[in-house]
Amino acid sequence: MQFHYNGFTPGDPTTARIGNPEDTRPRRDPLPEECDVLIVGCGPAGLTLAAQLAAFADIKTCIIEQKDDRITLGQADGIACRTVEMFEAFDFAERVLKEACWINETSFWRPDPETPDHIYRSGRIQDTEDGLSEFPHVVLNQARVHDFYLDVMRNGPGHIVPYYSRRLLDLEVDPNAGTGARASSHPVTARIERSDAGHEGDVETIRARYVVGCDGARSVVRHEIGRKLVGDSANQAWGVMDVLAVSDFPDFRMKAAIHSANEGNAILIPREGGFLVRLYIELDKLNENERVANKNITVDHIIAAAQRIFRPYSLEVKEVPWWSVYEIGQRLCDKFDDVPEDQIATRLPHVFITGDACHTHSPKAGQGMNVSMGDGFNLGWKLAAVLQGRSAPELLHSYSGERQTIAKQLIDFDRELARMFSARPKTGPDDTEGVDPAEFQKYFVQHGRFTAGTAIHYAASDICGGHDNQHLAAGLTTGMRFHSAPVIRLADAKPIHLGHTVKADGRWRVFAFAASDDQGGPDGKIAQLCDWLENGTDSPIRRATPKGADLDSVIDLRVVFQKYHRDLRLDKMPALLLPTKGRHALRDYEKIYCPDLNPGQDIFDMRGIDRARGCMVVVRPDQYVANILPLDDNAGLAAFFQRIMLPAM
Amino acid sequence: MQFHYNGFTPGDPTTARIGNPEDTRPRRDPLPEECDVLIVGCGPAGLTLAAQLAAFADIKTCIIEQKDDRITLGQADGIACRTVEMFEAFDFAERVLKEACWINETSFWRPDPETPDHIYRSGRIQDTEDGLSEFPHVVLNQARVHDFYLDVMRNGPGHIVPYYSRRLLDLEVDPNAGTGARASSHPVTARIERSDAGHEGDVETIRARYVVGCDGARSVVRHEIGRKLVGDSANQAWGVMDVLAVSDFPDFRMKAAIHSANEGNAILIPREGGFLVRLYIELDKLNENERVANKNITVDHIIAAAQRIFRPYSLEVKEVPWWSVYEIGQRLCDKFDDVPEDQIATRLPHVFITGDACHTHSPKAGQGMNVSMGDGFNLGWKLAAVLQGRSAPELLHSYSGERQTIAKQLIDFDRELARMFSARPKTGPDDTEGVDPAEFQKYFVQHGRFTAGTAIHYAASDICGGHDNQHLAAGLTTGMRFHSAPVIRLADAKPIHLGHTVKADGRWRVFAFAASDDQGGPDGKIAQLCDWLENGTDSPIRRATPKGADLDSVIDLRVVFQKYHRDLRLDKMPALLLPTKGRHALRDYEKIYCPDLNPGQDIFDMRGIDRARGCMVVVRPDQYVANILPLDDNAGLAAFFQRIMLPAM
């Protein structure tokens, strides 16, 4: 898609419509008095969380935002491969892939040894290693990602539409809260001030079972639960600008990291539509405790700095739709909820913080929006499971436990990347302060999986089994995201990606990979597993599924055989693999899969699955591998779900 | 995507919204007094034509429809590979691919020789041969295809919104029309009756430069220009129904052609959402001149017939969202416009007919909607070129010339397919009336390219060169659709499909395939071609492009080199391949491509392009290959465009 070539226009490029259509203008109704979840802030974390909660008609979610409407220009733009996989779970990956700019290669520029005040290309790498994800690394205006989430929220069963022009004043948590029973109460009370025309200064009070602060680096929610962002003070200013510009720089449509000899450093990020580019430009070092706001930096300073760095290439800026100046700093909260470390055993969390509210860092590695959305996705299914009575509220402790660790890793990585990037290029072997741009490139490549978001690895816990059976599926690591692979659907021979069956619907998945000779017949382990899951007294499906609900509504079993799809007989499959669903008791034909036998596409080979024994892979609602078990380990599967799920009522 | 499992609901499955959002409710304003093109009928042909015309802000199109709003249930559902390619040109292929049911395999069922009153599977084939198209054969409710077109129409520069509740009464063509100059007049006058509340019976008069009848088998436009559908009378009744049903038929999610011994024949088509299926069911032979309406056939008759054909398999119908009974008949008009055969040299067409208005046939081969949309696409760019003064109005003769031939082929094919399908299965070698189902399967496979829509081959004409240089690109046949292949875009290393650069924007494309050693340098033929196209006095780009317009706005040159993309230098490319565009004179970086060097993906191999000599491939605005020329045949290229384009004013 090409757009912006006659100048920048915000909004959906396919409609060329500026502003919201009739039915998406900001609502003007007052907040309700009560809700299940109050989300503070319509940023990436808050919208991901809201989109997840919108999957449930019986969960009442309110999301508020200080701004008076959806944003049309966003700060963030980098979307990691792993994030596109998550978008697929929310069913809008194809909209992002169509509209975004794909980052296919990254190039590295350094001072030309012959003419040091000129830059030259010292390296060029494939941005994402082959096979790391079925999706590319892309770049798209954060505002459009918001739009896609707002659609999911509005169209979902929970029908969530933000309340804009609302500022959180304060929070109070009932000290007697935390009995854990859903019916108990709405222990958090929030006071919220309106700023929309006719209601300026009106204060509303809302009581919530849970409050989630997605309210950014100056989070009021964080302040109210007494947590602090702790970390390095920033002493380096960067300018960032989105420009429509003409340049003879040869990599003007590639991601490029540029180190100049004496003029500082820059990162170029091509943007959606084929014309827009983003430039991150290093500005002068700040003095200690000097703040950006005091420097009176204008966009002309940034443009001039960019032009100096780009020499000998031209950079003629025609339009600047957005620009900003910021300081690098890596800061982190020690915990992401309202329960002190020493009270975890005795107290339940009711307030959470996500995204920039609990971790801030430089935008250099393009991680901010991605990790924030990961926070929202991680918390969302857990809140839903607890609110719907499927899991005990102790599950909610795992949010801070899992995500604080990830944020810490991000911040350590970002600190090192920022340090290496901001250092001046090494001038020679005796230069101990400079950094060799080749070293920077090496560090960048080494951490490719990290920046792609696919290296996230949750520690063992009740919701993440250990590695006892890792050898049964060497390529599907427990604690890491389920790495998708192609399969053929038996009933209609459609080629699909197995991982794309994991939608953001709060369900757990069990993928049973059949042993080599199993064709689904009654003597095979698949049939025995199905029989037990359908009829066994200790079956987790029987235990967890409410009476009258579809059999796959809580735990969704899908089977992958090893045979060519034409060699299997659908009419010989166990009944649980053709479950009847809905008010007509229609059959669901989408539970049985076969490998794609084209060269290099067999999921058993791609993911190192034990062909002789097969295995079960349990996948969480947020697409992470929760457990790997032998195919006949009924007791192990029952025990796993017993730890994390309550019996259905 | 799964939907309909709790019963059928029309509309967009992602919004679950029934009815139109605020901004797409039927308009209530009167028709204008004048327009450039009046389209009668909002079926597939009319909407394709309107979507094409919506690409032009300066063309005033009115589209009217008898019904009172967009449809929510459609008759047609089959979407051939070629049609998805066309949807890609209209930029909504991904919406169709996501929502539609993919037809991956087709199975054939016949009487079991052991138990003749039971059917058994006698064959199974891949539905579309490998490499035939980058898109699959899919099935989707016609109403949704309409929705996607309506979005393109509303969002396009021409901003076209249908006038519903409008019935064409009559047409009058000014006998003095046809001087050919655009400014002359609006020679067609149409009288139209309203049927919307408050306006019942109101008659509006509109004058148009062109009128297009997309008004179906009972076309008033056809009647007004005195043409007739001629062909076989129908004597065979078929029932068709969309059902939500439970069955143990093993291919219930496959396309299946079923011949029973004594109960007639059926076709099963799985439908979008994973639960719905369509069944075509042969009903009793009709007596001569007996019409379906007289038979009092109910849906229960059709269900009962289906159940008999499916034996020994069960078929329990739970819901029938739509059903109908129809008669097979193949009928065709001899010409698709208002100019008699013997007056082509002296008279210009002003009225056209498309789709069912000029060709009707059985739905068995899933061709109807596809060929109708092909009509609309073929006519659309031609009307636009004439209305914008880019081509002489004689171009419009080619619409009937090209499409009547295609319709004739379709009807011949359909007649034979219907005959073979409706015949009873051959009982033995002495049975001369029956058809061996194996023969039917063979016919079906042989004509796979035809049903995929990729076999359409226009005869040589001014807009379709001959085959003099076919050897330079053996896999891109002049007169057939440009068969896309993967490439890598030089500026950003993005893998794309070259054919997807051909958007429905009325532009002609010249794809220049470089000779093996050419790297774009000044001595190579690519640079020489670019230099001539940019500066040559006889350059078709200079001749055809209006002053001040972007250099690629009428003829869009794109180049494919043979080298690995990292071995080419963007900064050494000819200026025309990095053209400056728009009010900021920004560079367009999307004109230069390289082969995808992964095994089997090299476009030069895939399309048989002469590596030593390269070539130019001229592609029409409707994606058909118009000409193949040697790379240095400037005169040939100039002459080709001179025949079909007027000099820009």
Side-chain angles (χ1 to χ4, degrees):
Chain A
M1 293 185 91
Q2 285 189 313
F3 43 92
H4 296 327
Y5 91 95
N6 264 326
F8 182 89
T9 44
D12 182 346
T14 65
T15 61
R17 195 194 268 143
I18 297 177
N20 294 330
E22 197 67 47
D23 62 345
T24 60
R25 298 235 174 91
R27 62 196 300 174
R28 292 292 172 219
D29 54 323
L31 289 172
E33 293 179 4
E34 269 186 13
C35 67
D36 291 318
V37 183
L38 171 67
I39 304 172
V40 183
C42 280
L47 294 176
T48 306
L49 174 58
Q52 173 64 91
L53 295 176
F56 308 98
D58 58 344
I59 295 179
K60 197 169 164 190
T61 305
C62 279
I63 179 166
I64 62 168
E65 166 60 47
Q66 260 188 272
K67 299 193 185 73
D68 64 358
D69 202 346
R70 63 172 71 193
I71 59 169
T72 54
L73 290 168
Q75 294 80 358
D77 58 4
I79 298 172
C81 303
R82 167 63 199 141
T83 300
V84 187
E85 295 174 10
M86 183 186 73
F87 290 164
E88 177 65 32
F90 285 105
D91 237 2
F92 62 78
E94 82 288 352
R95 300 180 69 180
V96 172
L97 293 179
K98 179 177 184 176
E99 196 170 318
C101 178
W102 294 29
I103 303 298
N104 311 290
E105 298 196 338
T106 296
S107 72
F108 297 86
W109 292 73
R110 55 170 299 175
D112 187 340
E114 318 266 298
T115 325
D117 61 341
H118 286 184
I119 55 171
Y120 91 117
R121 191 199 289 125
S122 59
R124 190 165 168 177
I125 59 165
Q126 190 170 313
D127 185 81
T128 306
E129 66 178 297
D130 286 336
L132 189 62
S133 170
E134 70 276 20
F135 292 116
H137 170 200
V138 303
V139 168
L140 181 64
N141 187 339
Q142 176 181 344
R144 291 297 291 152
V145 175
H146 287 202
D147 287 345
F148 301 145
Y149 272 126
L150 290 165
D151 285 350
V152 172
M153 289 158 52
R154 193 176 68 241
N155 295 331
H159 191 72
I160 300 173
V161 175
Y163 294 87
Y164 292 102
S165 305
R166 298 297 204 289
R167 184 170 68 91
L168 177 67
L169 296 174
D170 50 44
L171 282 183
E172 198 173 329
V173 185
D174 178 352
N176 301 318
T179 62
R182 181 182 174 180
S184 68
S185 77
H186 292 69
V188 196
T189 304
R191 289 197 321 131
I192 291 158
E193 187 182 71
R194 292 182 72 156
S195 58
D196 48 335
H199 295 284
E200 295 92 341
D202 290 3
V203 174
E204 297 168 291
T205 300
I206 182 169
R207 282 171 295 118
R209 295 184 198 274
Y210 298 102
V211 171
V212 186
C214 310
D215 47 347
R218 293 189 184 84
S219 171
V220 174
V221 176
R222 183 186 67 227
H223 175 266
E224 292 294 295
I225 59 171
R227 301 219 173 266
K228 286 196 167 53
L229 280 174
V230 176
D232 309 351
S233 69
N235 67 344
Q236 168 100 50
W238 283 74
V240 53
M241 56 183 179
D242 287 338
V243 298
L244 292 168
V246 178
S247 172
D248 55 4
F249 180 64
D251 290 350
F252 208 55
R253 298 301 307 165
M254 298 274 187
K255 180 171 173 182
I258 305 163
H259 286 88
S260 75
N262 300 306
E263 304 295 348
N265 306 320
I267 293 176
L268 182 154
I269 313 275
R271 286 283 295 266
E272 64 273 18
F275 297 94
L276 194 69
V277 301
R278 167 162 291 191
L279 288 167
Y280 291 98
I281 302 294
E282 191 177 27
L283 302 176
D284 305 341
K285 303 265 184 211
L286 297 178
N287 297 324
E288 205 165 320
N289 295 321
E290 187 182 29
R291 283 288 167 267
V292 160
N294 302 330
K295 299 217 90 180
N296 294 321
I297 295 167
T298 69
V299 70
D300 292 328
H301 291 125
I302 305 173
I303 293 171
Q307 287 167 333
R308 290 193 302 270
I309 294 169
F310 269 74
R311 272 183 213 147
Y313 299 105
S314 65
L315 179 72
E316 197 188 336
V317 174
K318 303 285 192 173
E319 186 179 330
V320 184
W322 176 80
W323 69 280
S324 178
V325 174
Y326 65 93
E327 299 163 63
I328 288 184
Q330 288 84 16
R331 296 190 295 160
L332 180 64
C333 283
D334 57 342
K335 205 154 175 304
F336 291 2
D337 62 32
D338 61 333
V339 176
E341 191 70 38
D342 57 2
Q343 295 179 31
I344 290 178
T346 56
R347 199 172 136 182
L348 292 167
H350 288 93
V351 183
F352 306 87
I353 44 179
T354 69
D356 287 354
C358 42
H359 46 80
T360 67
H361 43 85
S362 83
K364 226 47 82 283
Q367 292 301 296
M369 178 160 65
N370 296 283
V371 177
S372 297
M373 292 191 284
D375 289 348
F377 198 26
N378 185 289
L379 181 57
W381 69 267
K382 295 173 182 176
L383 281 173
V386 171
L387 285 166
Q388 293 191 320
R390 289 184 279 113
S391 292
E394 284 73 15
L395 172 65
L396 299 174
H397 287 303
S398 69
Y399 164 70
S400 180
E402 291 187 332
R403 297 305 294 180
Q404 206 271 353
T405 310
I406 301 305
K408 176 76 168 57
Q409 290 166 3
L410 166 66
I411 277 175
D412 291 344
F413 165 76
D414 183 64
R415 186 182 294 118
E416 180 60 12
L417 189 80
R419 185 194 68 76
M420 290 180 82
F421 191 76
S422 288
R424 74 182 154 63
K426 213 179 181 77
T427 53
D430 298 332
D431 176 1
T432 54
E433 288 191 0
V435 168
D436 185 349
E439 284 297 309
F440 175 73
Q441 177 175 336
K442 201 170 144 198
Y443 187 83
F444 186 90
V445 171
Q446 278 171 346
H447 290 78
R449 294 183 177 195
F450 191 88
T451 47
T454 59
I456 287 175
H457 193 160
Y458 294 133
S461 70
D462 280 353
I463 51 172
C464 239
H467 294 269
D468 294 352
N469 298 297
Q470 191 61 63
H471 57 283
L472 295 177
L476 295 170
T477 310
T478 309
M480 299 183 79
R481 67 75 152 97
F482 181 80
H483 189 177
S484 185
V487 287
I488 305 294
R489 196 158 61 193
L490 178 64
D492 62 357
K494 183 178 183 183
I496 68 154
H497 249 277
L498 189 61
H500 300 186
T501 64
V502 185
K503 293 298 175 197
D505 54 13
R507 290 194 280 174
W508 288 75
R509 263 88 192 174
V510 176
F511 292 106
F513 291 89
S516 52
D517 53 345
D518 199 331
Q519 303 192 30
D523 297 336
K525 286 192 177 170
I526 293 297
Q528 287 161 5
L529 174 67
C530 290
D531 182 49
W532 171 67
L533 283 171
E534 193 172 357
N535 305 307
T537 50
D538 56 342
S539 154
I541 288 185
R542 283 189 53 158
R543 179 174 174 273
T545 309
K547 278 208 199 331
D550 291 338
L551 268 186
D552 63 354
S553 58
V554 179
I555 300 171
D556 178 22
L557 173 72
R558 295 173 191 249
V559 172
V560 188
F561 290 97
Q562 294 190 37
K563 303 283 179 191
Y564 176 50
H565 69 275
R566 289 196 191 171
D567 293 340
L568 287 180
R569 290 193 56 173
L570 189 80
D571 49 351
K572 300 294 180 196
M573 289 293 156
L576 187 62
L577 299 183
L578 292 161
T580 55
K581 291 169 65 174
R583 69 179 174 91
H584 288 320
L586 301 174
R587 281 195 183 173
D588 185 333
Y589 285 90
E590 305 191 358
K591 304 297 188 188
I592 313 171
Y593 303 87
C594 302
D596 181 339
L597 298 178
N598 284 313
Q601 299 292 297
D602 187 323
I603 188 170
F604 285 83
D605 295 336
M606 292 175 79
R607 300 296 168 253
I609 298 180
D610 188 318
R611 287 188 176 276
R613 303 178 55 198
C615 66
M616 289 189 278
V617 178
V618 182
V619 178
R620 300 172 12 166
D622 57 1
Q623 304 178 313
Y624 281 79
V625 177
N627 212 346
I628 297 174
L629 293 165
L631 260 186
D632 53 6
D633 189 4
N634 297 359
L637 193 70
F640 175 79
F641 279 114
Q642 196 147 11
R643 277 195 298 275
I644 57 176
M645 278 194 189
L646 300 171
M649 283 171 294
Chain B
M1 290 186 92
Q2 286 189 313
F3 42 93
H4 296 326
Y5 91 95
N6 264 326
F8 182 88
T9 44
D12 182 347
T14 63
T15 62
R17 197 194 266 144
I18 297 177
N20 295 330
E22 196 67 47
D23 61 344
T24 59
R25 298 236 173 90
R27 61 197 297 173
R28 293 290 172 221
D29 54 324
L31 289 172
E33 293 179 3
E34 268 186 13
C35 67
D36 291 318
V37 184
L38 172 66
I39 303 172
V40 184
C42 279
L47 294 177
T48 305
L49 175 57
Q52 174 65 90
L53 295 175
F56 309 98
D58 59 345
I59 295 179
K60 196 169 163 188
T61 304
C62 280
I63 179 165
I64 64 168
E65 167 59 46
Q66 260 188 270
K67 298 193 185 74
D68 64 358
D69 201 346
R70 63 173 69 191
I71 59 169
T72 55
L73 288 169
Q75 293 80 0
D77 58 4
I79 298 171
C81 304
R82 168 63 200 139
T83 300
V84 187
E85 294 174 12
M86 184 186 73
F87 291 163
E88 178 64 33
F90 284 105
D91 237 3
F92 63 78
E94 83 286 353
R95 298 180 70 180
V96 172
L97 294 179
K98 179 178 183 174
E99 196 171 319
C101 178
W102 293 30
I103 304 297
N104 311 291
E105 299 196 339
T106 296
S107 71
F108 298 86
W109 292 72
R110 55 170 301 175
D112 186 338
E114 319 265 297
T115 324
D117 60 342
H118 285 185
I119 54 171
Y120 90 118
R121 191 199 287 125
S122 60
R124 190 165 168 178
I125 59 165
Q126 191 170 314
D127 186 81
T128 307
E129 67 179 295
D130 286 335
L132 188 63
S133 171
E134 70 275 21
F135 292 116
H137 170 201
V138 302
V139 168
L140 180 65
N141 187 339
Q142 176 181 344
R144 291 297 290 152
V145 175
H146 287 202
D147 287 345
F148 300 145
Y149 274 125
L150 289 166
D151 285 350
V152 171
M153 290 158 53
R154 192 177 69 242
N155 295 331
H159 192 72
I160 300 173
V161 176
Y163 293 87
Y164 292 101
S165 306
R166 298 298 206 286
R167 185 169 70 91
L168 177 68
L169 297 174
D170 50 43
L171 282 183
E172 199 173 328
V173 185
D174 178 353
N176 301 318
T179 62
R182 181 181 175 181
S184 68
S185 76
H186 292 69
V188 197
T189 304
R191 289 198 320 131
I192 291 158
E193 187 182 72
R194 291 182 73 156
S195 57
D196 49 334
H199 296 284
E200 295 91 341
D202 289 3
V203 174
E204 297 169 291
T205 300
I206 182 169
R207 283 171 296 116
R209 296 183 197 275
Y210 299 102
V211 171
V212 187
C214 310
D215 46 348
R218 295 189 181 84
S219 171
V220 174
V221 176
R222 183 186 68 226
H223 175 267
E224 291 294 294
I225 60 172
R227 300 220 172 266
K228 287 197 165 53
L229 280 174
V230 176
D232 309 351
S233 70
N235 68 344
Q236 167 100 50
W238 283 74
V240 55
M241 56 182 179
D242 287 337
V243 297
L244 293 168
V246 177
S247 172
D248 55 4
F249 181 64
D251 290 349
F252 207 55
R253 298 299 309 164
M254 298 275 187
K255 181 171 173 181
I258 305 163
H259 286 88
S260 76
N262 301 306
E263 304 296 347
N265 306 321
I267 293 177
L268 182 154
I269 313 274
R271 286 282 296 267
E272 63 272 18
F275 298 94
L276 194 69
V277 301
R278 168 163 290 191
L279 287 167
Y280 290 99
I281 303 292
E282 191 177 27
L283 302 176
D284 305 342
K285 303 263 183 213
L286 296 178
N287 298 324
E288 207 164 321
N289 295 323
E290 187 182 27
R291 283 289 167 266
V292 160
N294 302 329
K295 298 218 87 178
N296 294 322
I297 294 167
T298 67
V299 70
D300 292 328
H301 291 125
I302 305 173
I303 293 171
Q307 286 167 334
R308 289 193 302 269
I309 295 169
F310 268 74
R311 273 183 213 148
Y313 299 105
S314 65
L315 179 72
E316 197 189 336
V317 174
K318 304 285 192 172
E319 186 179 331
V320 184
W322 177 80
W323 70 279
S324 179
V325 174
Y326 66 94
E327 299 163 64
I328 289 184
Q330 289 84 16
R331 297 188 296 159
L332 180 65
C333 283
D334 58 342
K335 206 157 173 301
F336 291 1
D337 62 32
D338 61 332
V339 177
E341 192 69 39
D342 58 1
Q343 295 179 33
I344 289 177
T346 56
R347 198 173 135 183
L348 291 168
H350 288 94
V351 183
F352 307 86
I353 44 179
T354 68
D356 286 354
C358 43
H359 46 78
T360 66
H361 43 85
S362 82
K364 225 47 84 278
Q367 291 303 295
M369 178 162 63
N370 296 282
V371 177
S372 296
M373 292 191 283
D375 289 348
F377 199 26
N378 185 289
L379 181 57
W381 69 267
K382 295 173 181 175
L383 281 173
V386 171
L387 285 165
Q388 293 190 319
R390 288 183 280 115
S391 293
E394 285 74 14
L395 172 65
L396 298 174
H397 286 303
S398 69
Y399 165 69
S400 180
E402 292 187 333
R403 296 305 294 180
Q404 205 271 351
T405 311
I406 301 304
K408 176 77 168 56
Q409 290 166 3
L410 166 66
I411 276 173
D412 292 344
F413 165 76
D414 184 64
R415 187 182 292 116
E416 179 61 13
L417 189 79
R419 186 194 68 76
M420 291 180 81
F421 191 76
S422 289
R424 75 180 153 63
K426 212 179 181 77
T427 52
D430 298 333
D431 176 1
T432 54
E433 288 192 0
V435 168
D436 184 347
E439 284 298 310
F440 175 73
Q441 177 176 337
K442 201 170 144 198
Y443 188 82
F444 187 89
V445 172
Q446 278 171 348
H447 291 78
R449 293 182 179 198
F450 191 88
T451 47
T454 59
I456 288 174
H457 193 161
Y458 295 132
S461 71
D462 280 353
I463 51 171
C464 239
H467 294 270
D468 294 353
N469 298 298
Q470 190 61 64
H471 58 284
L472 295 177
L476 296 170
T477 310
T478 309
M480 299 182 79
R481 67 67 154 104
F482 180 80
H483 189 177
S484 184
V487 287
I488 305 293
R489 196 159 63 193
L490 178 64
D492 61 357
K494 184 180 182 182
I496 69 154
H497 249 277
L498 189 61
H500 300 187
T501 64
V502 185
K503 293 299 173 194
D505 54 12
R507 291 193 279 174
W508 288 75
R509 262 90 193 174
V510 176
F511 292 106
F513 290 90
S516 54
D517 54 346
D518 198 331
Q519 303 192 30
D523 297 339
K525 287 193 176 170
I526 293 297
Q528 287 162 5
L529 174 66
C530 290
D531 182 49
W532 170 68
L533 283 171
E534 191 172 359
N535 305 306
T537 50
D538 56 342
S539 155
I541 288 184
R542 283 191 51 160
R543 180 173 173 272
T545 309
K547 276 205 203 331
D550 291 338
L551 268 185
D552 63 354
S553 58
V554 179
I555 301 171
D556 178 23
L557 173 71
R558 293 174 192 248
V559 171
V560 188
F561 289 97
Q562 295 189 36
K563 303 283 180 193
Y564 176 49
H565 70 275
R566 289 196 191 172
D567 293 339
L568 287 180
R569 289 193 56 174
L570 188 81
D571 49 351
K572 300 295 180 194
M573 289 293 156
L576 187 62
L577 299 183
L578 292 161
T580 55
K581 292 169 64 174
R583 68 178 175 92
H584 288 319
L586 301 175
R587 281 196 181 169
D588 186 334
Y589 284 91
E590 305 190 359
K591 305 297 188 188
I592 314 170
Y593 303 88
C594 302
D596 181 338
L597 297 179
N598 284 314
Q601 300 291 297
D602 187 325
I603 189 171
F604 285 83
D605 295 336
M606 292 174 80
R607 301 294 169 254
I609 297 174
D610 187 317
R611 287 189 176 274
R613 303 178 56 199
C615 67
M616 288 189 280
V617 178
V618 183
V619 178
R620 302 172 10 166
D622 58 1
Q623 304 178 312
Y624 281 79
V625 176
N627 212 345
I628 297 173
L629 293 165
L631 261 187
D632 54 6
D633 189 2
N634 297 358
L637 192 71
F640 175 79
F641 280 114
Q642 197 146 10
R643 277 195 297 276
I644 56 176
M645 278 193 191
L646 300 171
M649 282 171 296

